[in-house]
Amino acid sequence: MKNSYTSLIFFLALGVFGIITTEMGVIGVIPQLTEKFQISASQAGYLVSAFALIVAISGPFLTLLASGMNRKAILLSAILMFAISNLMYAYTTRFEVMLAFRMVPAFFHPVFFSIALASAASLVPPEKSGKAVTQIMAGVTVGFAFGVPITTYLSTKISLEAAFLFGAIVSVIAFIGILFWLPSMPVKERMSFGKQLGILSRPQLWLTILIVTMIFTAMSSVYSYFAEYLGEVTRMNGTWISVMLMIFGVTMIAGNFLFGFFLNKSMTKTVILFPLIYAVIYLFTYYWGAYFWPMAVIVFVWGAVHSGGLILSQALLMTDAKEAPEFGNSLFVSFSNVGITVGTWIGGLFISRLGTHQIIWSGIMLLLFAFILIMIKAGISKPQVEKASMD
């Protein structure tokens, strides 16, 4: 029985890994895509922003609609679409076709995440549900740590086709594993749409959503052009860029534990300090970005801090949406992708108007906006906490 649980969690996490590799792997191959399709870096950025925009718009609604369907069927349909899309990326010769097949699987992205987390929690023993969910979410970090750099490495050393076929193979393996290890899961009882949507009536939740969106906007405005920055400003070749992406992802894993510890100690202090710490990283990136070894050290720290944005954003949102966790998780996926969409667009605008080096200032300005919103939330929450303690 233990082995069956382990296998199930592994294949669900592998599915998450495949989705993150598909979504974010494009970031590491933007230089090759600009050459293949004869487009600008900002145009190639549409491959990131279009995907994220679809996730942002469709996420909560599709999650609500899918809440009454057989979970196994939905998971299999979603991961199969990612496999097919990667095959299209590998062999199409038209940018428009690739852009279209970036948008189609994006509809399945938030549904897979929400249902995979719910399935993991419901199929393992109750005392292991928290651990199971954490292991599924590990697929996100591992996707950044290995999926993105492997995609970059394969595109540099072999071809773009090989890079995208890697994503297809991962998704096919996850599909087979889910097919054989996950039992049929028809939904016997679901929370009403009205009850789930009811959490949206809270103004404080919308302020939190705005903070989460701004944090992801600030991070994505620069990270979406990570490979472009290292190539143009630091003058790294494709091999070194893939190494930097892997270092970034590996330190994200360490950052998960580090920020998890800080959040347990004090969520308020961690959230307040985060944008300031990230802004300092950006300043170092701007002033030392042209120097190879200093930039390598910066990337090491950057990855750890970047993961903090994911963790604290989800923690903030789930705190305000704890009555409807599945819907709350879909809101996190949706609005984090709003941030990715807007951030990628802003970063592309800075590159096209001011040059690649100046992209850092977009991140710094957006982080300052996030900091202001966080301080407003802290100012609102403090009187409420004090009033509750007096009562």
Side-chain angles (χ1 to χ4, degrees):
M1 185 66 72
K2 182 179 179 180
N3 289 336
S4 65
Y5 289 144
T6 302
S7 299
L8 169 61
I9 296 301
F10 171 78
F11 286 116
L12 288 174
L14 186 65
V16 171
F17 170 81
I19 288 174
I20 293 299
T21 299
T22 300
E23 180 183 10
M24 306 307 295
V26 168
I27 290 172
V29 299
I30 280 181
Q32 291 94 325
L33 289 171
T34 58
E35 184 178 345
K36 177 180 179 178
F37 295 116
Q38 295 299 298
I39 56 176
S40 67
S42 59
Q43 286 176 306
Y46 294 150
L47 296 170
V48 180
S49 59
F51 188 105
L53 181 61
I54 296 298
V55 173
I57 294 172
S58 66
F61 304 106
L62 290 179
T63 301
L64 283 173
L65 289 174
S67 62
M69 301 177 187
N70 189 301
R71 289 173 173 176
K72 181 174 182 177
I74 295 172
L75 291 172
L76 288 173
S77 299
I79 204 65
L80 180 61
M81 183 53 64
F82 275 87
I84 293 171
S85 296
N86 273 289
L87 289 174
M88 294 301 299
Y89 306 156
Y91 294 112
T92 186
T93 57
R94 297 181 58 189
F95 177 70
E96 294 82 4
V97 173
M98 185 172 184
L99 184 59
F101 275 88
R102 286 291 291 174
M103 297 170 72
V104 172
F107 287 103
F108 293 89
H109 176 288
V111 178
F112 186 95
F113 263 82
S114 298
I115 294 178
L117 291 170
S119 300
S122 63
L123 288 174
V124 300
E127 67 274 11
K128 295 183 178 180
S129 61
K131 182 179 179 181
V133 170
T134 301
Q135 290 171 334
I136 299 298
M137 288 301 296
V140 176
T141 307
V142 176
F144 277 98
F146 298 106
V148 176
I150 287 173
T151 300
T152 306
Y153 182 81
L154 290 173
S155 70
T156 303
K157 292 300 183 180
I158 303 177
S159 65
L160 269 173
E161 289 77 10
F164 292 128
L165 286 175
F166 168 71
I169 291 169
V170 169
S171 294
V172 168
I173 294 172
F175 177 89
I176 294 171
I178 293 169
L179 179 65
F180 285 102
W181 288 101
L182 185 68
S184 179
M185 297 184 67
V187 177
K188 299 176 180 178
E189 184 179 351
R190 71 178 181 185
M191 189 182 298
S192 68
F193 290 166
K195 189 172 182 180
Q196 294 182 72
L197 290 170
I199 65 173
L200 295 177
S201 63
R202 304 171 188 169
Q204 188 165 329
L205 175 63
W206 283 104
L207 179 57
T208 301
I209 286 173
L210 189 57
I211 291 170
V212 169
T213 304
M214 191 58 65
I215 287 173
F216 273 85
T217 303
M219 296 193 301
S220 299
S221 68
V222 180
Y223 179 72
S224 293
Y225 301 96
F226 186 88
E228 185 76 9
Y229 190 88
L230 293 181
E232 291 292 323
V233 179
T234 316
R235 301 294 179 184
M236 291 185 179
N237 60 30
T239 301
W240 273 109
I241 290 173
S242 64
V243 170
M244 290 299 106
L245 280 164
M246 184 167 289
I247 290 173
F248 188 97
V250 169
T251 57
M252 277 188 68
I253 298 175
N256 275 335
F257 294 102
L258 183 64
F259 277 89
F261 173 79
F262 289 150
L263 284 170
N264 286 331
K265 285 289 184 179
S266 174
M267 178 179 289
T268 302
K269 289 181 181 178
T270 303
V271 173
I272 289 173
L273 289 175
F274 173 78
L276 302 179
I277 295 170
Y278 211 130
V280 171
I281 297 297
Y282 276 161
L283 285 173
F284 276 105
T285 303
Y286 182 80
Y287 288 108
W288 293 91
Y291 303 95
F292 189 97
W293 289 113
M295 190 60 198
V297 175
I298 291 167
V299 168
F300 188 88
V301 181
W302 188 356
V305 176
H306 188 86
S307 68
L310 279 68
I311 296 171
L312 66 86
S313 293
Q314 186 180 40
L316 271 176
L317 195 47
M318 294 310 294
T319 298
D320 287 343
K322 54 181 177 292
E323 291 85 359
E326 286 186 32
F327 184 60
N329 187 60
S330 74
L331 290 174
F332 168 73
V333 174
S334 179
F335 284 97
S336 63
N337 276 275
V338 170
I340 292 172
T341 304
V342 177
T344 302
W345 175 75
I346 292 174
L349 193 63
F350 267 71
I351 288 178
S352 61
R353 299 288 178 85
L354 302 173
T356 303
H357 194 192
Q358 305 306 318
I359 195 176
I360 300 300
W361 292 109
S362 68
I364 292 173
M365 288 189 293
L366 291 164
L367 283 170
L368 291 178
F369 282 128
F371 176 74
I372 292 170
L373 291 171
I374 289 168
M375 294 308 296
I376 292 172
K377 179 177 173 62
I380 293 173
S381 300
K382 188 175 180 180
Q384 293 177 346
V385 172
E386 289 176 349
K387 183 180 178 180
S389 63
M390 290 175 65
D391 294 341

